[in-house]
Structures are given as structure tokens and as C-alpha cells.
Amino acid sequence: MGWSVKVATVKGIEIKVHLTFLLIILWAAVEGGTGIEGGLRGAVFGVVSTTLLFVCVVLHELGHSLQAMRYKVKVRDITLLPIGGVAQMESIPEKSSQELAISLAGPAVNFVIAGVLAPLALWILITQIATYLSRPVYLLSGTGQRLLGWILDGLFYGTDWKALVFYLLSMNMTLGIFNLIPAFPMDGGRVLRALLALRLDYLRATRIAVNVGRGLAVLLGVAGLMFFQFPLVLIAVFIYAGAGYERKMVEVKKALQGLQVRQAVTRQLQVVTPTTPLAHILDLIFHGYQSNFPVIEGRRLVGVLIREDILATLRERGPSVPVGQVMRTEFPVVNLSDSLLHVQQLIAKSGVKAVPVVEDGFFRGLITLDKINQTYALLSPRR
Ligand SMILES: [Zn+2]
């Protein structure tokens, strides 16, 4: 993701912060500085507490990621956005027990943090009550309500470390519980799907989980409108859209699984050699329909020339550069009988957007993401 800076690396996972996140920190400073206690102290408290909250969000994502890595899922990075953390994983396993464990690992981290803070919070609460009770009697004449008010004011609106403990405790409980709401794109949606998929077909389990999530989103939206809580309405819209996206993803995945490379391969191709200058390639692009080229030397396939690389090199180094300097020499290879899902995942993993197809050691053609999309549009069911 652009606009992100790396701040740390944990077990090979890059932790990045999106620059818009600085706005949140700024907002925390302003909010803290103009709060009840306010001033510089309030501003510092706002920044420290918000930063620690987002550290907890990163730990939540790390929980998912480390659990996923146990199942050999590659995790590229975790990016911190103003709306929360996003872990970029290669592909989540369809094995329900694994998906269940990965989904639960995130909220579990928040409950563990809350569990660690809870005894400390209890101790603070007890000492706070003890301090109150040791005060002169005239202060004690108030009701229990006043006692409660005084304690809560100190602990939830204060700007000292005690208030910080209570803030982090409550936020971690909230994060854990909120994420377990059984609706995509929350973890709870995945948990529900994984539980259903223990008994049902994966696609069916997804559809049911999506409908449950949408139902909850509608209820949340209606409640938000009734009580004029517009942030709730926004969250409801977000959940509703996210649920549909998840179903689409799974449907596309199933469809691609059922289609083979032979249905999408381009066999009529211009081949080029490593010594061909890019100027000539440009001619071929203008006069044909092809923008990715297999590179042949003798009778051997030695590289793949892809559109993005051609355009980037033309911009930076001009048209006289030979193909040999631009082509990808490391590329995956697929068979005619491989599924399109397999190809799509290979393309995502390798970044090579045109993959050579071979059969019995002979080059048969290229398959591209565009062709996969076209084939899906033409041949997938329910169209
Ligand atoms: Zn999560």
C-alpha cells in the first residue's frame, strides 16, 4: 500500500504505518488537550493512550498472522490504517479448523492483554475506594452514586497511568468483543463460517455466514437510526458491504477452481528474442492485440516480457533497450490441466502477470490475468 512507512519487522512480517494515521495522533492530541483535564498533560495522555491502543491493534493482527504462519501461510505485512490494522496474507486456508484458529487468535490477544491488566485495574479500584473512605466524614455523606461518579471520573477521564490502565483494559475488551460479532468482514464472520464449514460445503457455509452478517448489519443500522447514533449506521453499511464482498470472493474462487488453463490460454502468439529492441515490441503492441510476449532463444523459452515492464522501461530508458534486459527470467510455469485458481494464485505470488503454459515440456502459450477474468465472465455459472 502506498503512503506507508515501515516501523518494525516481527518474524519477517513488516509492520507499516499509513501516513493518514498521523491525523489520528493529531486528533488524539487535540482531543486530549481540550478535554476535562486538558492542557499539555491531556494532549500527551491523548497521544500516549491512542498510540498504545494501536499497538494493541497491531498485536491483534500479529495474533492472526503468527497463527497463520503456523499453517505455512505467508504474511507479507501488517499496515496500520486510521480504521484499524490490515494483515496482508497470501491466502487463508480453506481447512475450517485452521481458519477457525487463525480467526480466533486476533481477539484472543486482546482478551489476554485485558486479562493481564485486570488484576492491576482491580488493585487500583480497591486503593481508590480506600482513599475515598479515609477522607473526612463530611465528604462521605454523599450517596453511593457520588462515590461511583468520583471513582469513574478519576479512572476514565483522568490523565495518569491509572486512567491509562482502565482505558487499555476497556478498549481491549471492546476490540475483542467487537471483532467477534458474527459478521464479515469481522473475525466473528470467519469464525461462524469456519464452524458451519465443519459440517457444510465451504460456499454454502459462506452464504449462510454472509446472510447472518447482513441481518445483523440491518438490525445495527435500524438501531443506529432509531437512536440517532450515526456512527453505528456507518458501521452497519460497512459490514453489509463487507459481507457481500466476502461472498463474491468465495464464489469467484470456486468458479476459477472449476475452470482449466486450456480454457483461457492464448495460443496464437508473437514470440520475440532477447536481442529485439523495445521499439519493435511497441510496433507489435500497436498492430496486434498482444501486450505480453514469450521470449525465445534458439528453441528455448528464456523469459517473459510483460506489459508493465515494457511501459516502465520505455518511460525510463527509451525504446532502444533490448528485450533481454527487460524480460522476467524467473517465472512460474503451468500445465493445460491446472485450474485457473492455481494460476491466479501463482500470478499474485510471483507478480508475473503472464504465465507460460507447457505440455510435455513444450511451450503452448501464455495465460494472463486479463484472460482469466474474461474466461470467468464468459464461463462462470450464474451468468
Ligand atoms: Zn482480527
Side-chain angles (χ1 to χ4, degrees):
M1 214 170 287
W3 289 73
S4 300
V5 281
K6 193 175 101 177
V7 289
T9 307
V10 181
K11 296 211 173 189
I13 306 169
E14 290 188 355
I15 314 279
K16 296 177 182 172
V17 173
H18 199 257
L19 287 177
T20 50
F21 180 75
L22 292 177
L23 291 176
I24 292 285
I25 296 295
L26 193 69
W27 171 81
V30 171
E31 191 82 346
T34 55
I36 294 172
E37 303 230 348
L40 181 63
R41 192 186 161 93
V44 170
F45 182 83
V47 170
V48 170
S49 57
T50 306
T51 306
L52 284 176
L53 168 64
F54 277 87
V55 168
C56 293
V57 171
V58 169
L59 290 175
H60 170 109
E61 293 303 326
L62 265 179
H64 290 306
S65 303
L66 295 181
Q67 190 64 33
M69 281 165 77
R70 284 187 168 191
Y71 305 128
K72 307 269 179 283
V73 176
K74 278 208 186 107
V75 183
R76 260 168 287 168
D77 55 57
I78 293 173
T79 304
L80 205 49
L81 301 166
I83 48 156
V86 180
Q88 297 274 355
M89 295 188 198
E90 209 163 63
S91 64
I92 290 173
E94 272 192 28
K95 209 167 168 220
S96 304
S97 56
Q98 297 185 354
E99 190 182 27
L100 187 61
I102 294 173
S103 311
L104 286 174
V109 168
N110 296 116
F111 291 131
V112 167
I113 297 173
V116 170
L117 292 175
L120 190 59
L122 190 66
W123 178 76
I124 292 170
L125 198 62
I126 290 170
T127 51
Q128 204 83 339
I129 293 172
T131 317
Y132 184 83
L133 293 180
S134 65
R135 285 186 168 199
V137 182
Y138 65 87
L139 271 178
L140 278 174
S141 58
T143 57
Q145 209 179 359
R146 251 183 73 189
L147 169 68
L148 193 69
W150 179 79
I151 291 170
L152 292 186
D153 274 0
L155 296 181
F156 283 98
Y157 301 107
T159 51
D160 58 359
W161 68 273
K162 292 175 188 169
L164 193 59
V165 168
F166 271 78
Y167 174 74
L168 289 176
L169 175 65
S170 59
M171 286 317 278
N172 273 287
M173 287 303 291
T174 309
L175 275 175
I177 293 169
F178 179 74
N179 274 293
L180 284 180
I181 295 174
F184 290 111
M186 256 85 72
D187 299 327
R190 295 180 183 287
V191 170
L192 177 62
R193 188 217 351 241
L195 288 174
L196 289 167
L198 289 173
R199 289 291 178 82
L200 301 171
D201 160 66
Y202 192 76
L203 185 57
R204 223 182 103 96
T206 302
R207 287 188 177 144
I208 295 175
V210 163
N211 288 337
V212 170
R214 287 193 155 168
L216 281 175
V218 169
L219 286 181
L220 198 65
V222 170
L225 286 177
M226 273 170 61
F227 299 107
F228 297 104
Q229 295 293 319
F230 292 107
L232 274 189
V233 180
L234 256 172
I235 293 175
V237 171
F238 171 71
I239 292 175
Y240 195 90
Y245 177 74
E246 181 67 28
R247 186 174 74 184
K248 184 83 194 148
M249 293 290 290
V250 173
E251 281 172 356
V252 169
K253 216 168 149 183
K254 279 283 153 189
L256 290 183
Q257 220 163 30
L259 294 170
Q260 286 188 345
V261 169
R262 68 178 81 250
Q263 292 169 284
V265 61
T266 308
R267 295 170 193 263
Q268 304 286 327
L269 283 168
Q270 282 278 356
V271 297
V272 297
T273 67
T275 51
T276 315
L278 282 192
H280 181 61
I281 305 294
L282 210 52
D283 270 357
L284 292 178
I285 293 177
F286 280 135
H287 296 115
Y289 296 103
Q290 190 181 340
S291 48
N292 302 286
F293 300 85
V295 186
I296 307 286
E297 192 171 35
R299 299 192 59 185
R300 240 163 35 87
L301 177 74
V302 291
V304 184
L305 187 62
I306 59 180
R307 182 174 52 201
E308 282 79 1
D309 296 346
I310 299 170
L311 297 178
T313 310
L314 279 172
R315 260 199 314 272
E316 286 157 23
R317 298 166 61 197
S320 59
V321 182
V323 165
Q325 290 181 19
V326 188
M327 67 186 188
R328 303 277 180 114
T329 50
E330 294 202 357
F331 49 86
V333 169
V334 293
N335 291 304
L336 283 172
S337 58
D338 284 332
S339 79
L340 291 189
L341 179 65
H342 174 67
V343 183
Q344 192 204 35
Q345 286 169 346
L346 275 181
I347 290 175
K349 203 190 274 187
S350 66
V352 181
K353 290 184 180 152
V355 177
V357 181
V358 295
E359 190 188 30
D360 306 325
F362 288 103
F363 174 68
R364 290 290 180 217
L366 279 181
I367 183 159
T368 60
L369 214 48
D370 289 344
K371 261 322 270 293
I372 293 178
N373 289 337
Q374 276 173 26
T375 310
Y376 168 77
L378 282 170
L379 299 180
S380 69
R382 303 215 302 158
R383 268 174 191 264

